[in-house]
Structure formats: structure tokens, C-alpha cells
Amino acid sequence: MSDPTGGAVSGPASGGARGDDPLRLTVPGSATPYPRADNPCSGYLVSGGGTRLWMDAGSGTLGPLQRYVGLGELDAVWISHLHADHSADLLTAYYGLLFADVERAAPLPLFGPPGTADRLAGFLTHGTERSPVESAFAVHELSDGHRARVGALTLTSRAVAHGMPAFAVRVEAGGHSLVYSGDTAPCPALTALAEGCDVLLCEAESARRPAPDEGEHLHHTPEEAGRTAAAARAGRLVVTHVGRGLGADEAVARASAHYGGPVDHAAPGAVFPVG
């Protein structure tokens, strides 16, 4: 069903994360723009209060995600934008949801940019009839300021600067908050969304800002990730989506020079308490 703000409601209707299941972030993968041998692309599990949210579904993340939660146990999926390193595993999830051993009472709620369902169908349709994407996913299109409640989690999405429809999200439960940048250059919308959050999960893809003749700046450098965290007064910065021209340790060190709080890297398998 839908809440008054247009978002899906699924799972328990609790007002916040249970004390025995506090809000936390788990990292199945964080690589870009294609998986490493030991690190899938961007995909994260946000959990708390008995609710499980798959946040971005980049190439290769569905496999390690199942160490923590099965497709049948997820409450929703949230997708920042439709580049493959953030969304490609929706395709294999579709087959799992409809044609394998996964049992669900209803389609899995999926929050994504406008056109998400048709983009999936464009790849999945192989005959004269459109593949039944909506039988696998209950698709809810994001917009700037979109709010939704998924079980114990409240999600607020903002449009960000990535040269295409792209969103960041603030996840709140039990008085604590996690903000995920998705892919974006520094922008006021992200800073405002992250204001006072416990954890900012921020991309740091670019080793440097492009020169004016090299095109639009579409990502954060590590220094910019640090400055965004400082401007938002975030409690902790976790850098993710670190470009192949950077090492994780280098990205953390460069971000730390511009932010006084704790800085970590979203290494595959890492778990971060939120709050």
C-alpha cells in the first residue's frame, strides 16, 4: 500500500529501530565502475528494527548480499541512479524473484529514478510481450524530496548533481540517521540532506576535479567528501565508490585532511553501527 507521501509501506509499522536490532550499514560491495575480484560494485544493506533495505544493486552485489539477507526477506530496494554499477543486479534479482526458489507474498517494493521499470523491461523483454517487471517489483519513482516509510525506516530522497536523474537518501530510525550520496558532485542538496546525520556514506570516485575543458564534474574527490561531511556536521564519514586511480587508504587520508571526525572506507564485508 502507499503512505500519504507516495512511498511504499512494508514490513513492521514500528516507530523506530528496536533496541535489539539497531540501525546499521553493511557493505556487500563498493567498487566502481566494474567489480574487482574481491569487491563487487556499489551495494549496501541498511537494517534496523526488523527492516532490511537493499540500497543500490550494482554489478555483483546480489551474491554477497545473501550472506546477510535473502531476496525473500528484503523489505525494499532503493536505487540512486541507473548506471550499471548501481543497478545491474536488479536484472538477476528479477529472475530470482519470479523463476527460482524465492517466495514472497507480494512484489518487492523498489524505489528508483523515473523510468526504472521500463529500463528493466527493455533488457528483460525477449519476445513480443513486455516482461512482467511489475510482477517482481512494486516500482515507486523517486522525485526531489520524496519521502517513504519502509517498516521501521523513514527514507527521504533528494535529487543530486550527476548529469542524469540521480538521488541521495537519508535513512532514519530510532533517532539515528544514515545519509548515502549515491553518485554526485558536491551540491547543496546533499549537504542539506546530510545535516547532522550520524553517518555519511559518500562517494569519492574522482582522483581530481576535471579541468574546464574535460567536461562536467560528476563525482566527489576525497577532499570534497571530507568538506561535504564537515559542512553537514556529520558524525562519521565513510568513503565509498573509490575510483580505480585511488587507493582506499589514500582516499581516507585525503578526506581526513578536510574533516575532523572519524573517516572509514566502505570495504566489502564492513559493518558500521549508525548512532
Side-chain angles (χ1 to χ4, degrees):
M1 61 182 176
S2 294
D3 70 7
T5 60
V9 178
S10 70
S14 154
R18 297 194 313 252
D20 61 346
D21 186 23
L23 190 63
R24 61 192 181 278
L25 167 70
T26 303
V27 184
S30 60
T32 180
Y34 63 96
R36 297 176 183 266
D38 58 353
N39 190 5
C41 287
S42 287
Y44 313 93
L45 174 64
V46 181
S47 55
T51 305
R52 304 291 180 263
L53 174 72
W54 185 12
M55 192 170 67
D56 271 355
S59 311
T61 61
L62 178 55
L65 178 74
Q66 294 172 83
R67 294 178 183 143
Y68 314 103
V69 62
L71 283 172
E73 302 166 314
L74 283 169
D75 292 285
V77 185
W78 185 93
I79 300 296
S80 63
H81 66 294
L82 294 176
H83 281 153
D85 58 337
H86 295 259
S87 65
D89 270 19
L90 290 176
L91 302 174
T92 48
Y94 165 86
Y95 288 108
L97 289 165
L98 292 189
F99 306 118
D101 56 348
V102 177
E103 296 184 3
R104 296 189 61 92
L108 176 60
L110 168 60
F111 300 91
T116 293
D118 286 341
R119 285 283 293 274
L120 292 175
F123 185 91
L124 294 165
T125 299
H126 304 297
T128 58
E129 295 186 6
R130 182 182 182 275
S131 287
V133 171
E134 290 81 2
S135 295
F137 300 107
V139 181
H140 304 266
E141 292 191 342
L142 296 173
S143 58
D144 189 30
H146 182 278
R147 287 177 60 85
R149 180 69 176 273
V150 178
L153 309 180
T154 300
L155 313 182
T156 304
S157 300
R158 291 295 311 272
V160 290
H162 194 50
M164 63 182 296
F167 297 86
V169 65
R170 185 180 183 112
V171 183
E172 297 175 293
H176 299 296
S177 55
L178 163 74
V179 172
Y180 170 46
S181 67
D183 275 10
T184 179
C187 62
L190 175 60
T191 303
L193 186 68
E195 175 65 30
C197 68
D198 291 291
V199 176
L200 172 60
L201 176 66
C202 188
E203 66 120 293
E205 194 274 345
S206 296
R208 61 176 181 84
R209 287 185 65 93
D213 62 350
E214 293 179 316
E216 187 178 359
H217 187 38
L218 301 176
H219 293 279
H220 278 69
T221 65
E223 290 84 357
E224 289 169 335
R227 287 195 286 267
T228 293
R233 297 182 298 159
R236 174 181 295 270
L237 172 63
V238 179
V239 293
T240 190
H241 202 262
V242 173
R244 287 182 172 253
L246 290 165
D249 291 344
E250 178 187 357
V252 167
R254 288 170 56 173
S256 296
H258 297 268
Y259 169 67
V263 183
D264 299 285
H265 172 242
V271 180
F272 299 97
V274 178

